[in-house]
Amino acid sequence: MHVAIIGGGPGGLYTAALLKRLDPRRRITVWERNPADVTFGFGVVLSDETLGGIEHADPVVFEALERHFVRWDDIDIVHRGTRHTSGGHRFAALGRRRLLEILHDRCRALGVELRFGTEAPPPDRLAGTHDLVVAADGVHSATRESYAEAFGPRLTGHRCRYIWLAADFALDAFRFEIAETEHGVMQLHGYPYAADASTVIVEMREEVWRAAGFDAPDERDSVARCAKIFADTLGGRPLQSNKSAWTTFRTVVNDRWSHGNVVLLGDAAHTAHFSIGSGTKLAVEDALALAACLEEQPALPEALAAYEAERRPVVASTQRAARASLEWFEDLSRYLDLPPRRFAFNLLTRSRRVTHENLRLRDARFTESVEREFGCPPGTPPMFTPLRLRGLTLRNRVIVSPMDMYSATDGVPGDFHLVHLGARALGGAGLVMTEMVCVSAEGRITPGCAGLYTGRQGEAWRRITDFVHAQAPGTAIGVQLGHSGRKGSTRLMWEGIDEPLPDGNWPLVAASPLPYKPGSQIPRALSRAQLTDIREQFAAAAGRAARAGFDLLELHCAHGYLLSGFLSPLTNHRTDAYGGSPEKRLRFPLEVFDAVRAVWPQERPMTVRISATDWAEGGTSGDEAVAIARAFAAHGADAVDVSTGQVVADERPEYGRSYQTPYADRVRNEAGVPVIAVGAISSWDDVNSLILAGRADLCALARPHLYDPHWTLHAAAEQGYEGPGAVWPTPYRAGSRRPVTGRADGPRPRLTLRGGPQDV
């Protein structure tokens, strides 16, 4: 096999060394346009996981790296003159130049041809003369651009400027320092990479960068000013540049990583923000996977397909974490007023890779100090601290999220609802929510949806609330009121979600006469008189909900249903007083809220569920979501339930673990209103992390409670918590400990005998 590698960075060099080591017959040539002794940047951080892969694949490279590593455990966070230190993080770093020298030596020893200061021939020419072309030519990859139609690259710019510098001494920890200047917030990321050197990255929002005058093309002045701003961290020492320039980070994503015999690797294929230190790590891991797949697969097409299949999910997960971290630093100013230890905890958990439990294992003392600042009683996880909303005190921060069951008859909840909601109330959550309960027969989504538009329905709900209050004391039960709007008159979910009924349809109404999707029924635009009628329907349903004994009421203004349809510019095309500007689109939902609040008992709280993004171009923006939350809070909402999407059928959500929580985070910390986070929150560790970091006040979980009705009680048992935030029902107390299972482990060997001649 004749292999061409374009780019002499760590990814390209390590690929060359691995391929040559695995098969010395391979002819491998590396083209690097820069001289051998030229590189950009300073230090490189590698994880224990990556180092383990290197050690297994090439002990020679690992041993050379090991001799030059600087290792440390601590992260320092300096904010408003106070330093908080968290330990147990285990970092290993070395100079980028040293890393390249080690890889140069290894490649030469193995017989790889290195061509420095030489532009690679065009990729199409290399593809014709080589069996494999590895494009490791970085974020500005010319190879990727040459085959743009095949690779489908998508490059996203971001809102911060940063500059890569160095200091001539070793920091004693990974250091984050926040500087609040007259021009805005600036931050330093620093870490040691040698006994006498540290990497220092200075970063700030674009508008801060311009206001501070850093856009002037004077590198020496920029470096000197950065050293002055962060003089405390640097001890008054200067900073050094290596052809450093202010730049913006670009996220690179490709639809495909290979085309014919050309394959992308490292930053050419994908990038991850430097704040989680994963660029070199990902490139090295790409090299390991590519080399392994070439060994394991019978032919090149299968090998390249296997390489992409193996690496793409790992890279996608890392990029999600990197984006969360990147956006945290872009929006740093929203967290500045958090209590100091919670600010530090928020920073440490920004990517959602580090969690409350993970951090507790690394540094219990630091984590306990954050919990004390938050107000956790001794031995109480954050999720089991109480929260008061008006006259209602929730004993913990867990909500059973509203979940449509499509099991009512003529809008009347039956035995199924009693068992379903009753079982989850017995499971320990602080608040159990009904499904969306419709305010009229015409406002149902399906014929199986529950309602509160008749006295009989109210009586049936009273049976359920009485059960919860009597058999699960301490658990609150809330009702979610809504109207389907243009998404009504459809089949039961398992018969065809959002598909119109085959017969027996009822007429639909909405803000504007727009069908939900092709083939959906076209709704009528609501007249002023009809708006008044629907507002009164909501108020009447709220009155029945109060008499039925619900503790909390949530107004459903999300997911493309009627009130959500007024809020989104994609579904509200009205030209009257209820359409146009965000303020006008808010008018009818606020009128309904006011009407409901007027009849809902003052001591009982009200929440509002919103879709903070439509996941579609031209939809609700982040700024509008914050404004919507502020408006409802000003009218008396006690918390905002921050969901996303389901407003238009052609949405493109970015799914992932707790993928909606950044929207709740923004609403909470910009609008200053308590929020409920929802969406792919699946573990008690996630709940603890979100609550303690100040990203949410309550967490609503749906599917986990379908999988395990006693999810909250089991979360308490798994954390060894037995306090008032999670009380087992008396008949169930015998099950409050995990059942004993049979031993699967044998006796542990006590002696290890070394073999000798007598054993032969």
Side-chain angles (χ1 to χ4, degrees):
M1 179 178 277
H2 193 184
V3 181
I5 297 179
I6 306 172
L13 291 168
Y14 194 51
T15 301
L18 287 173
L19 294 180
K20 190 69 172 176
R21 180 173 183 268
L22 289 168
D23 188 349
R25 297 171 299 170
R26 289 173 174 147
R27 290 184 295 148
I28 301 177
T29 306
V30 177
W31 277 269
E32 170 53 52
R33 64 182 180 180
N34 293 307
D37 59 348
V38 171
T39 187
F40 301 98
F42 298 94
V44 173
V45 179
L46 295 174
S47 69
D48 286 348
E49 181 183 36
T50 304
L51 292 175
I54 293 173
E55 183 178 20
H56 181 76
D58 193 339
V60 173
V61 170
F62 176 79
E63 290 168 8
L65 294 172
E66 187 71 20
R67 289 194 293 271
H68 296 284
F69 274 135
V70 173
R71 294 183 180 272
W72 73 100
D73 289 336
D74 289 349
I75 296 177
D76 284 348
I77 299 164
V78 182
H79 173 43
R80 292 182 175 171
T82 302
R83 182 177 71 176
H84 297 283
T85 300
S86 172
H89 296 277
R90 300 188 64 182
F91 295 100
L94 78 164
R96 183 176 175 87
R97 190 185 301 275
R98 179 67 65 191
L99 171 61
L100 293 176
E101 289 171 352
I102 290 169
L103 294 175
H104 292 165
D105 292 345
R106 185 58 172 153
C107 285
R108 291 190 183 101
L110 291 167
V112 173
E113 182 181 355
L114 302 177
R115 298 186 180 181
F116 293 108
T118 306
E119 289 282 354
D124 56 344
R125 188 187 308 170
L126 289 175
T129 57
H130 293 71
D131 300 296
L132 173 65
V133 179
V134 180
D137 47 348
V139 64
H140 302 293
S141 171
T143 311
R144 184 185 64 228
E145 295 309 309
S146 296
Y147 295 112
E149 288 190 7
F151 291 126
R154 284 170 281 127
L155 280 66
T156 304
H158 299 285
R159 295 177 289 167
C160 280
R161 290 272 183 167
Y162 69 94
I163 189 168
W164 207 284
L165 304 168
D168 61 358
F169 73 101
L171 291 163
D172 57 3
F174 203 123
R175 188 176 181 97
F176 296 101
E177 181 168 348
I178 314 303
E180 297 177 66
T181 74
E182 60 183 316
H183 307 293
V185 181
M186 306 176 187
Q187 57 260 17
L188 173 146
H189 312 241
Y191 57 87
Y193 67 85
D196 59 354
S198 298
T199 289
V200 174
I201 303 169
V202 177
E203 183 185 26
M204 64 197 73
R205 287 280 289 260
E206 173 90 15
E207 60 269 25
V208 176
W209 177 75
R210 292 190 182 280
F214 281 117
D215 55 338
D218 188 333
E219 178 187 334
R220 292 180 63 182
D221 179 65
S222 280
V223 174
R225 291 181 62 198
C226 288
K228 185 176 180 181
I229 291 167
F230 295 102
D232 287 346
T233 288
L234 301 172
R237 299 178 180 88
L239 287 167
Q240 284 83 47
S241 170
N242 180 14
K243 298 182 179 178
S244 304
W246 290 99
T247 188
T248 57
F249 185 81
R250 294 201 296 175
T251 297
V252 175
V253 176
N254 285 277
D255 293 335
R256 289 165 297 281
W257 292 3
S258 65
H259 172 61
N261 63 343
V262 180
V263 63
L264 302 177
L265 184 143
D267 282 355
H270 46 70
T271 58
H273 193 248
F274 60 81
S275 62
I276 66 168
S278 287
T280 301
K281 164 185 159 64
L282 288 177
V284 168
E285 291 174 352
D286 283 355
L288 288 163
L290 179 60
C293 291
L294 288 167
E295 290 295 299
E296 295 162 357
Q297 300 299 323
L300 183 64
E302 289 87 346
L304 298 185
Y307 157 70
E308 183 170 347
E310 176 182 333
R311 291 295 296 154
R312 185 176 285 279
V314 177
V315 168
S317 176
T318 302
Q319 287 190 310
R320 284 194 296 271
R323 176 141 190 173
S325 179
L326 173 157
E327 290 176 347
W328 193 94
F329 284 106
E330 286 183 337
D331 297 320
L332 171 60
S333 59
R334 77 167 61 135
Y335 305 110
L336 293 176
D337 293 328
L338 282 174
R341 290 181 178 84
R342 290 184 76 191
F343 174 87
F345 181 87
N346 195 309
L347 187 153
L348 292 171
T349 59
R350 67 195 180 279
S351 72
R352 303 194 288 277
R353 285 287 180 90
V354 177
T355 63
H356 171 264
E357 178 66 6
N358 182 280
L359 199 54
R360 188 184 66 80
L361 294 173
R362 297 184 190 199
D363 190 341
R365 180 179 297 180
F366 170 79
T367 307
E368 288 167 3
S369 74
V370 182
E371 291 172 347
R372 285 194 301 272
E373 184 181 75
F374 175 65
C376 295
T380 301
M383 66 184 291
F384 293 113
T385 56
L387 180 69
R388 186 175 180 84
L389 298 173
R390 294 201 183 216
L392 176 66
T393 298
L394 301 176
R395 66 182 177 190
N396 62 52
R397 305 301 183 101
V398 179
I399 298 175
V400 176
S401 194
M403 293 176 279
D404 286 319
M405 294 289 107
Y406 308 108
S407 300
T409 301
D410 295 327
V412 179
D415 289 347
F416 177 87
H417 295 82
L418 174 66
V419 174
H420 165 66
L421 293 169
R424 278 133 195 95
L426 292 170
L431 173 65
V432 175
M433 292 296 300
T434 69
E435 61 198 85
M436 184 179 93
V437 176
C438 305
V439 299
S440 67
E442 296 76 17
R444 292 175 298 163
I445 307 167
T446 75
C449 288
L452 257 174
Y453 47 88
T454 71
R456 184 176 169 219
Q457 293 162 355
E459 291 168 2
W461 283 116
R462 182 79 207 198
R463 176 178 175 232
I464 294 169
T465 63
D466 283 348
F467 176 89
V468 171
H469 292 145
Q471 302 300 326
T475 297
I477 181 166
V479 61
Q480 184 187 71
L481 291 185
H483 186 296
S484 62
R486 68 179 189 149
K487 296 177 74 174
S489 193
T490 61
R491 305 182 189 197
L492 304 183
M493 180 180 68
W494 45 86
E495 294 176 353
I497 189 169
D498 295 326
E499 293 295 326
L501 291 169
D503 53 62
N505 288 279
W506 55 85
L508 303 182
V509 294
S512 298
L514 305 171
Y516 178 61
K517 64 180 187 178
S520 294
Q521 185 183 156
I522 299 175
R524 298 193 311 273
L526 285 162
S527 67
R528 293 293 292 266
Q530 289 173 313
L531 291 175
T532 300
D533 290 343
I534 288 177
R535 186 184 67 210
E536 294 308 313
Q537 289 170 357
F538 271 95
R544 294 187 187 96
R547 292 189 293 276
F550 286 104
D551 302 297
L552 175 146
L553 187 149
E554 179 165 282
L555 189 64
H556 201 337
C557 297
H559 299 169
Y561 298 120
L562 181 69
L563 299 180
S564 170
F566 276 85
L567 292 172
S568 172
L570 297 178
T571 52
N572 184 343
H573 294 178
R574 299 175 75 100
T575 57
D576 63 2
Y578 293 96
S581 69
E583 294 76 19
K584 289 183 176 180
R585 299 198 306 271
L586 258 166
R587 183 176 176 182
F588 182 60
L590 288 175
E591 286 181 358
V592 172
F593 182 92
D594 290 343
V596 171
R597 183 71 266 185
V599 301
W600 186 245
Q602 284 300 303
E603 71 278 6
R604 300 188 206 178
M606 271 188 68
T607 63
V608 178
R609 175 169 280 202
I610 66 170
S611 284
T613 177
D614 299 337
W615 297 113
E617 187 175 354
T620 300
S621 68
D623 288 343
E624 287 176 344
V626 171
I628 290 168
R630 283 195 178 113
F632 279 114
H635 281 246
D638 300 289
V640 177
D641 187 350
V642 184
S643 187
T644 66
Q646 303 179 54
V647 174
V648 292
D650 58 348
E651 65 178 4
R652 297 187 65 180
E654 297 175 7
Y655 292 118
R657 173 170 149 256
S658 57
Y659 70 104
Q660 295 181 148
T661 58
Y663 297 92
D665 182 347
R666 179 173 184 181
V667 168
R668 183 185 191 276
N669 288 291
E670 290 190 15
V673 58
V675 300
I676 302 166
V678 64
I681 303 169
S682 56
S683 73
W684 49 259
D685 194 15
D686 286 338
V687 176
N688 283 329
S689 301
L690 292 168
I691 298 300
L692 193 59
R695 296 188 175 96
D697 300 276
L698 293 158
C699 291
L701 296 87
R703 288 178 178 87
H705 282 114
L706 294 180
Y707 180 78
D708 178 7
H710 289 81
W711 186 89
T712 307
L713 292 177
H714 290 155
E718 289 168 13
Q719 296 175 79
Y721 173 71
E722 298 180 350
V727 179
W728 283 77
T730 301
Y732 286 1
R733 283 181 185 165
S736 62
R737 298 183 185 278
R738 185 185 295 274
V740 177
T741 58
R743 288 184 65 112
D745 57 322
R748 194 158 53 93
R750 305 305 298 155
L751 294 172
T752 301
L753 301 178
R754 298 183 181 278
Q758 69 274 18
D759 297 321
V760 177

